[in-house]
Amino acid sequence: SAVISQKPSRDICQRGTSLTIQCQVDSQVTMMFWYRQQPGQSLTLIATANQGSEATYESGFVIDKFPISRPNLTFSTLTVSNMSPEDSSIYLCSVVPSGGSRTDTQYFGPGTRLTVL
Amino acid sequence: GNSVTQMEGPVTLSEEAFLTINCTYTATGYPSLFWYVQYPGEGLQLLLKATKADDKGSNKGFEATYRKETTSFHLEKGSVQVSDSAVYFCALSDNDYKLSFGAGTTVTVRA
């Protein structure tokens, strides 16, 4: 298994500003992902955080809006840039433990609840 | 592409009632199937999974069987408790590890 922490747990931000969310894992992991859960909605994958290289973004998400870093196998950040009220969501990171396969459990962090005014 | 269609909620039940949440999927390959649960105020956690056709996943009295012929993975529990009140998500993962989620079903169990 993997224990995941996220900082901050919640924040209230003004439109036009940026927020960086941190995801820390207690062990090295193969894959790290960032998801968004808009109010009352399901989870949508934003991107795959690749260690030492640029993240891979899903359709509808771009690097300028959601820059992602992953400097090592246990840590990643997601920045929500130039925020608008539509960015109000819960942002979650998830991981697949090292050596894991596609059938393995994907573990989720507790989430960061972002409100943009 | 991959997609998951999940029974619309919300669902309200009395304690000890039978619960079924329907889930069907579309996938190009041979996906693994998951049910995740989100209890009030808590993070998302895996409830059960099945990785190939006819597998049955089970946990905490919940069961789901991977039905390739009907592309379904319905969640069932024979006797629910108040503590089962949560949001349930059906999800699939294909060769690339990425999870595709259903819309989520909110279940409320009354004492």
Side-chain angles (χ1 to χ4, degrees), chain B residues 13 17 19 25-26 28 45 83-84 86 99 108:
Chain B
L13 302 165
L19 171 67
Y25 67 90
T26 302
T28 53
Q45 55 186 277
S83 57
D84 294 322
L99 284 170
T108 302

Side-chain angles (χ1 to χ4, degrees), chain A residues 17-67:
Chain A
T17 62
S18 298
L19 176 71
T20 295
I21 301 168
Q22 299 179 1
C23 176
Q24 179 73 55
V25 192
D26 69 340
S27 58
Q28 294 185 346
V29 295
T30 302
M31 309 288 289
M32 293 183 80
F33 302 94
W34 286 97
Y35 289 82
R36 179 175 73 181
Q37 186 177 18
Q38 293 178 297
Q41 303 295 315
S42 186
L43 285 82
T44 302
L45 180 64
I46 298 171
T48 303
N50 299 309
Q51 194 263 326
S53 64
E54 191 171 288
T56 305
Y57 291 84
E58 298 299 303
S59 176
F61 297 96
V62 295
I63 188 171
D64 289 346
K65 177 66 176 178
F66 298 101

Side-chain angles (χ1 to χ4, degrees), chain B residues 30-97:
Chain B
Y30 299 93
S32 293
L33 302 174
F34 306 84
W35 278 99
Y36 279 85
V37 59
Q38 193 171 38
Y39 296 105
E42 298 186 17
L44 199 65
Q45 55 186 277
L46 180 71
L47 179 60
L48 55 83
K49 68 178 182 181
T51 59
K52 61 183 187 296
D54 300 325
D55 269 2
K56 177 186 284 188
S58 61
N59 187 25
K60 299 183 180 180
F62 289 89
E63 292 184 341
T65 301
Y66 189 140
R67 301 286 188 199
K68 189 169 182 294
E69 63 276 13
T70 55
T71 62
S72 65
F73 192 54
H74 304 321
L75 182 68
E76 296 182 338
K77 184 172 185 180
S79 177
V80 294
Q81 305 300 313
V82 172
S83 57
D84 294 322
S85 298
V87 183
Y88 294 83
F89 293 94
C90 186
L92 71 81
S93 175
D94 214 325
N95 293 323
D96 57 7
Y97 298 90

